[in-house]
Amino acid sequence: MTTSGEFRYLDPASISPGIKPWTKVDGAYASFGLAPRRRSVANIRDSIQPDQPAQGHFGTDIDVSGFAVYHAPAQEKAFTDDAAVRNGYYAEVEALLRSKLPGIARVEIFDHTIRKHDPTSPRQPVQQVHVDQTPAAAEARVRRHLPAADVDGLLKRRFQIINVWRPISHPATDFPLAVVDWRTTKPEDLAPVDLLYPLRNRTVGDDNDDRGKEALPDLTNPASTEGYEVKGETYGVLPSDAHKFYYVKDMTPEEAMFIKCFDSRSEWRPGGRKGVAALTPHTAFIDPATPAGTKGRESIEVRCLVFYDE
């Protein structure tokens, strides 16, 4: 079964030569425009079987297409207590990663975001095709979040950044998440984009930890970068007719999606392995089949550094 939707790409015509595009993490403004494209989206729900072996299967092996979806109920249900998320749900996420990805030596969870399709929420579903981390940003994350004495050794191993995404409270019928099969992308589709964070985050707790510091943006002068700093780098994705989109219709809180943002042993990396997915462009989209009055999407994404024995 398929549906269709409007997908918003980074518009190459809006980028000035020699000037790097940027966007604000709070969604207040971006220096570039978006180019809408109508695309079909295939529902892969029938590919998700609770007892299906993960290795080598589209939709359940993250190295094949860059994403994987599992039936994985969580003990945490409310996601309203930050301490419960960090202390309880993080442990559940790590256990899930270890159960599905063989050879993991270490997992470091460095961030999470709760998104709600609600005007009062400081983080909304992102309706732009993007990748959360560039290779430079991935290495920077290791250096920022791991002890300095461990960094050089860890960077010699295979490591990944994986987002573990799941709906909260009710199925994600509204603003579902669509992912692109990485095999239908090429490096030329990707444009590095600086990610700007509010400077006020430095003054609240650990300046390397942006969790719990989300706030509605000040929109009095959204195009200004005053009060912001570059603290990350993402990929904006440029339009391509080759991209193939997939989603899980009515994905439930009992299901979790792994979204690969980076893999140091991917086909695109020096010395990488042919056929190993590099990344997963993804975006929220409006499914025209969504019934009127559907409850707004709520979801959590947990960002994980995953290191392997190899």
Side-chain angles (χ1 to χ4, degrees):
M1 182 177 65
T2 62
T3 186
S4 64
E6 180 182 274
F7 288 87
R8 299 176 180 177
Y9 287 93
L10 194 160
D11 184 356
S14 69
I15 305 174
S16 299
I19 300 177
K20 189 175 182 181
W22 55 264
T23 187
K24 294 180 178 179
V25 72
D26 54 18
Y29 191 81
S31 69
F32 52 87
L34 298 178
R37 297 288 189 274
R38 178 64 54 174
R39 297 285 186 262
S40 63
V41 193
N43 177 20
I44 61 168
R45 172 159 297 289
D46 291 344
S47 300
I48 306 165
Q49 302 296 331
D51 299 320
Q52 183 179 20
Q55 292 297 97
H57 290 277
F58 173 77
T60 53
D61 184 344
I62 197 169
D63 284 344
V64 172
S65 54
F67 63 90
V69 185
Y70 305 104
H71 179 77
Q75 293 184 357
E76 176 62 37
K77 306 294 184 185
F79 298 96
T80 55
D81 184 291
D82 189 67
V85 171
R86 296 197 197 196
N87 298 324
Y89 184 60
Y90 279 15
E92 293 190 67
V93 168
E94 178 172 350
L96 179 61
L97 287 164
R98 290 181 179 277
S99 73
K100 301 299 183 184
L101 305 177
I104 290 178
R106 182 169 179 173
V107 175
E108 295 289 341
I109 295 174
F110 62 87
D111 195 14
H112 75 272
T113 299
I114 293 175
R115 300 188 187 277
K116 297 182 180 182
H117 186 202
D118 180 324
T120 66
S121 174
R123 294 289 185 270
Q124 300 281 334
V126 177
Q127 201 176 359
Q128 181 203 337
V129 187
H130 68 285
V131 179
D132 288 11
Q133 311 283 342
T134 65
E139 180 174 335
R141 285 291 182 184
V142 176
R143 296 189 182 280
R144 183 180 304 161
H145 299 294
L146 278 296
D150 297 350
V151 166
D152 289 342
L154 290 171
L155 288 175
K156 293 177 183 177
R157 299 185 179 193
R158 182 187 187 185
F159 79 96
Q160 302 165 328
I161 294 184
I162 296 173
N163 286 3
V164 179
W165 188 94
R166 79 164 68 234
I168 293 173
S169 174
H170 53 275
T173 303
D174 171 71
F175 270 96
L177 186 71
V179 290
V180 177
D181 186 336
W182 91 280
R183 294 169 294 184
T184 67
T185 68
K186 55 185 185 297
E188 299 81 63
D189 297 341
L190 307 174
V193 175
D194 280 337
L195 187 60
L196 276 57
Y197 283 77
L199 278 168
R200 63 171 177 77
N201 285 17
R202 282 189 180 185
T203 65
V204 182
D206 182 353
D207 63 3
N208 277 328
D209 186 350
D210 292 291
R211 294 171 292 184
K213 301 177 184 179
E214 297 89 351
L216 289 169
D218 181 358
L219 298 178
T220 54
N221 189 10
S224 172
T225 59
E226 185 177 356
Y228 288 82
E229 64 178 330
V230 177
K231 206 174 180 182
E233 186 180 57
T234 67
Y235 277 134
V237 181
L238 305 176
S240 170
D241 292 337
H243 295 161
K244 292 185 178 179
F245 287 86
Y246 298 89
Y247 82 130
V248 180
K249 182 172 174 56
D250 304 326
M251 187 169 165
T252 74
E254 284 69 49
E255 296 166 318
M257 178 181 285
F258 291 2
I259 304 170
K260 186 188 285 191
C261 301
F262 172 80
D263 190 331
S264 65
R265 296 291 188 272
S266 79
E267 182 176 307
W268 287 357
R269 300 296 296 162
R273 299 172 185 167
K274 186 172 178 57
V276 173
L279 42 76
T280 316
H282 57 282
T283 179
F285 78 105
I286 298 173
D287 183 351
T290 301
T294 297
K295 190 172 183 180
R297 189 248 271 185
E298 300 179 7
S299 61
I300 183 169
E301 59 211 64
V302 178
R303 301 180 181 91
C304 312
L305 284 161
V306 180
F307 300 92
Y308 289 82
D309 292 320
E310 58 187 290

